[in-house]
Amino acid sequence: DAVVCVFNFTPAPREKYRIGVPWPGRYREALNSDAAAYGGSNAGNGGAIEAESVPWMGRPHSVSLTLPPLGAIFLLPDR
C-alpha cells in the first residue's frame, strides 16, 4: 500500500492541483489538517477523491485535489 502525502506551504488554497497516484480507484482523506475538527476552514475534497486514468508525474493515474492553505492532506487508497 501507499500513503499519498500532499503539503501546501502557501497561504492560498490550491484548486485543481493534480498529482500522480499509483493505482486507479478511490482515495480517502485519512487526514486533512484543515478539517473543522482541528479548527480549520474545512477546505478539502469531501473526504475522498476518485483517481483518473490521466498519467501524471511518472504515475499511471492522477487525482485533481483541493489543497487547503498552510495544510496537509494524507490520502489512502480504498483497496
Side-chain angles (χ1 to χ4, degrees):
D1 282 342
V3 177
V4 179
C5 306
V6 187
F7 300 86
N8 180 9
F9 294 113
T10 72
R14 301 293 179 198
E15 302 281 333
K16 299 178 184 172
Y17 189 88
R18 186 167 296 277
I19 62 164
V21 294
W23 301 294
R26 184 174 185 256
Y27 286 76
R28 66 180 173 86
E29 283 185 349
L31 175 81
N32 178 346
S33 67
D34 196 52
Y38 305 123
S41 64
N42 223 26
N45 303 281
I49 191 99
E50 192 72 26
E52 301 173 45
S53 294
V54 176
W56 203 263
M57 303 169 110
R59 300 290 181 184
H61 306 281
S62 60
V63 291
S64 181
L65 299 170
T66 297
L67 300 180
L70 301 171
I73 293 177
F74 289 69
L75 302 169
L76 293 175
D78 278 347
R79 297 178 52 110

